[in-house]
């Protein structure tokens, strides 16, 4: 089959690799029809090389059609249409039964001290082949896949793999009451979708912050207030307090994470990490602060006293300094974590109808063949051609 594979920093290629095969009676094989490129895939493209091997198959936002089923799979048949959550969860362990599929005890990568394994996402999360490929082996065939109906386009359902549950959880963790106010920092796919969901769930004001004109314009078109971070810089908190009676918003969703743009020290640390041999680079990432923390510091500033910060952006450094005195004094509540995809599906699915209240069918800005995957990654990294979300079609 053809698959998009990692070969080094900013070097991804579409290679011919062996087809996946059933390994357990509970496995299924899915023929991929659509697969997204996620903002966290850019972390692999840029800085996570120490945890990757050349030839690793990337991607964790796939959907498609069941091609084969293991001997004991009872709930799916060949020809069924499914979306695959990005975290591998068994559905029946202590964590899964409590809706914490991202901490699944069956797939936890214990040798790395990490939570549930993820598709297409480094040795830290199990080095499981990903979904930017023509076919994908999926374990736990009776509990992991999300069965969806035939008929509507893939664009209606594919975001159940990551974007929708990640954004939904970010809003849930933001913990605002109906009529509350929310700031979303970062209007990439997760941030923009979180802003849409917050508005849908009754926020009286949603403020989206970014510095990319295309993102700001697209979010504003959905009726969301936007602020250009380039205009306000360090005065962003003051600008938001002016809009909220001097308090700040009830909640802030940080959808930026470890992205290095605009943070010279963090960018330099990531650049240096990329030059080191893998063993040293991994040690640096695990024991040093290599994250861009401007967004998190901004969230601490912007949120009102007694408010909540919800972290949806991915952070990777282990020694990142936080202003604990300010966080304690402001009585800030902080929630974070990988999305528990299956936990939120029942809440989201009723919204994926012909009314399309969240605008999922027009959410992708670019649709490209799998063979153009390397170009798609480069476009996404450099934010050219107005790219915000790309779907690849194998």
């Amino acid at each position: 089959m053809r698959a998009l594979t990692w070969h080094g920093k900013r070097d991804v290629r579409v290679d011919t690799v062996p087809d996946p095969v059933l390994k357990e009676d509970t496995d299924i094989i899915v023929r991929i029809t659509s697969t997204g490129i996620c903002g966290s895939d850019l972390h692999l493209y840029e800085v996570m090389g120490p945890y990757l091997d050349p030839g690793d198959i990337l991607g964790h936002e796939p959907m498609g059609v069941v091609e084969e089923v293991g001997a004991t799979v009872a709930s799916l048949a060949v020809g069924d249409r499914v979306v695959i959550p990005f975290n591998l969860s068994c559905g029946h362990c202590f964590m899964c039964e409590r809706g914490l599929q991202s901490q699944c005890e069956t797939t936890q990568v214990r040798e790395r001290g990490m939570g549930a394994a993820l598709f297409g996402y480094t040795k830290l999360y199990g080095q499981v082949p990903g979904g930017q490929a023509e076919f994908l082996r999926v374990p736990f065939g009776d509990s992991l896949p999300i069965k969806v109906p035939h008929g509507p386009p893939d664009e209606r359902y594919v975001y159940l793999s990551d974007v929708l549950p990640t954004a939904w959880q970010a809003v849930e963790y933001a913990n605002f009451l109906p009529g509350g106010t929310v700031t979303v920092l970062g209007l990439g796919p997760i941030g923009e979708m979180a802003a849409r969901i917050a508005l849908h769930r009754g926020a009286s004001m949603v403020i989206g912050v970014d510095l990319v004109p295309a993102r700001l314009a697209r979010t504003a078109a959905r009726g969301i207030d936007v602020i250009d971070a380039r205009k306000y810089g360090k005065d962003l908190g003051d600008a938001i307090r002016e809009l909220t009676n001097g308090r700040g918003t009830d909640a802030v969703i940080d959808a930026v994470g470890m992205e290095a743009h605009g943070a010279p020290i963090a960018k330099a640390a990531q650049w240096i990490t990329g030059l080191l041999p893998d063993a040293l680079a991994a040690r640096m990432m695990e024991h040093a602060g290599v994250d861009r923390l401007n967004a998190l510091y901004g969230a601490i500033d912007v949120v009102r006293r007694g408010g909540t910060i919800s972290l949806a952006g991915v952070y990777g450094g282990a020694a990142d300094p936080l202003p604990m005195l300010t966080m304690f004094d402001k009585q800030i509540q902080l929630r974070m974590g990988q999305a528990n995809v299956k936990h939120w599906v029942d809440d989201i699915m009723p919204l994926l109808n012909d009314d399309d209240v969240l605008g999922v069918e027009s959410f992708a800005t670019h649709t490209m063949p799998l063979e153009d995957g390397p170009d798609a990654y480069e476009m996404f990294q450099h934010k050219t051609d107005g790219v915000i979300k790309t779907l690849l079609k194998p």
Side-chain angles (χ1 to χ4, degrees):
M1 69 171 181
R2 300 289 279 169
L4 194 144
T5 61
W6 183 91
H7 287 273
K9 182 175 180 178
R10 299 189 184 182
D11 182 5
V12 297
R13 309 172 191 174
V14 179
D15 293 331
T16 300
V17 302
D19 290 343
V21 297
L22 299 173
K23 294 183 179 180
E24 306 288 343
D25 288 345
T26 53
D27 290 349
I28 64 171
I29 303 295
V30 177
R31 175 175 56 82
I32 303 302
T33 55
S34 293
T35 182
I37 299 178
C38 179
S40 60
D41 287 330
L42 293 185
H43 302 158
L44 313 185
Y45 194 63
E46 281 286 333
V47 299
M48 299 298 286
Y51 302 106
L52 291 157
D53 291 326
D56 281 354
I57 301 173
L58 305 182
H60 57 269
E61 298 185 353
M63 71 171 292
V65 176
V66 176
E67 287 284 303
E68 293 183 64
V69 297
T72 64
V73 175
S75 61
L76 292 174
V78 171
D80 283 343
R81 192 184 191 195
V82 291
V83 179
I84 309 303
F86 72 88
N87 32 38
L88 281 75
S89 57
C90 69
H92 55 73
C93 70
F94 176 91
M95 292 294 180
C96 286
E97 287 179 350
R98 285 155 180 78
L100 296 170
Q101 289 87 356
S102 66
Q103 310 302 323
C104 174
E105 291 184 333
T106 303
T107 72
Q108 276 180 20
V109 187
R110 290 180 172 84
E111 64 272 20
R112 297 278 183 174
M114 305 300 282
L118 309 179
F119 284 104
Y121 214 80
T122 80
K123 298 172 186 175
L124 291 174
Y125 288 100
Q127 207 168 21
V128 181
Q132 290 171 1
E134 291 182 310
F135 296 93
L136 178 68
R137 182 184 76 89
V138 179
F140 313 117
D142 277 322
S143 57
L144 180 59
I146 303 164
K147 187 176 178 180
V148 297
H150 288 281
D154 281 6
E155 285 75 5
R156 182 175 298 190
Y157 301 114
V158 67
Y159 303 114
L160 285 169
S161 60
D162 182 353
V163 173
L164 282 168
T166 297
W168 192 275
Q169 179 172 293
V171 173
E172 185 75 18
Y173 283 7
N175 195 36
F176 62 90
L177 297 174
T181 56
V182 184
T183 296
V184 180
L185 301 178
L187 297 174
I190 300 300
E192 185 190 349
M193 185 56 74
R196 295 184 185 191
I197 290 170
L199 201 62
H200 172 76
R201 292 182 61 174
S204 62
M205 175 185 290
V206 180
I207 302 170
V209 180
D210 207 290
L211 45 71
V212 179
R215 293 179 175 183
L216 292 165
R218 191 165 107 127
T219 302
R222 299 286 303 190
I224 294 159
D225 295 298
V226 297
I227 290 180
D228 189 336
R230 298 171 301 175
K231 179 178 178 181
Y232 291 97
K234 294 181 179 180
D235 297 326
L236 175 65
D238 292 336
I240 290 176
R241 280 185 284 274
E242 285 183 10
L243 298 173
T244 54
N245 297 316
R247 296 189 187 97
T249 50
D250 300 323
V252 178
I253 296 171
D254 172 3
V256 177
M258 69 183 288
E259 185 177 10
H261 299 298
I265 294 175
K267 188 171 184 178
Q270 293 177 7
W271 179 78
I272 291 168
T273 301
L275 298 179
L276 295 173
D278 284 354
L280 292 176
R283 192 174 307 163
M284 179 174 177
M285 295 192 71
E286 290 166 11
H287 299 289
V290 297
D291 286 328
R292 171 196 192 270
L293 293 178
N294 288 14
L296 180 53
Y297 293 152
I300 293 168
D301 178 32
V302 165
V303 71
R304 68 160 170 81
R305 291 178 177 272
T308 302
I309 294 174
S310 172
L311 297 187
V314 176
Y315 286 94
D320 295 320
L322 294 176
M324 295 303 297
L325 175 61
T326 301
M327 293 170 69
F328 183 84
D329 180 64
K330 292 188 72 172
Q331 199 175 334
I332 290 170
Q333 301 178 70
L334 184 64
R335 294 201 70 181
M336 68 188 83
Q338 297 279 9
N340 303 299
V341 173
K342 290 296 291 282
H343 185 65
W344 307 115
V345 169
D346 289 345
D347 291 320
I348 298 168
M349 192 68 81
L351 304 179
L352 305 183
N353 53 29
D354 290 343
D355 292 336
D356 196 15
V357 295
L358 297 177
V360 293
E361 291 192 21
S362 59
F363 191 66
T365 54
H366 292 68
T367 300
M368 303 170 68
L370 178 67
E371 295 293 331
D372 291 345
D375 292 336
Y377 268 77
E378 185 175 7
M379 289 169 56
F380 196 17
Q381 173 63 22
H382 295 291
K383 298 179 175 64
T384 57
D385 195 35
V387 65
I388 295 174
K389 185 64 179 180
T390 297
L391 293 179
L392 300 178
K393 301 284 187 174

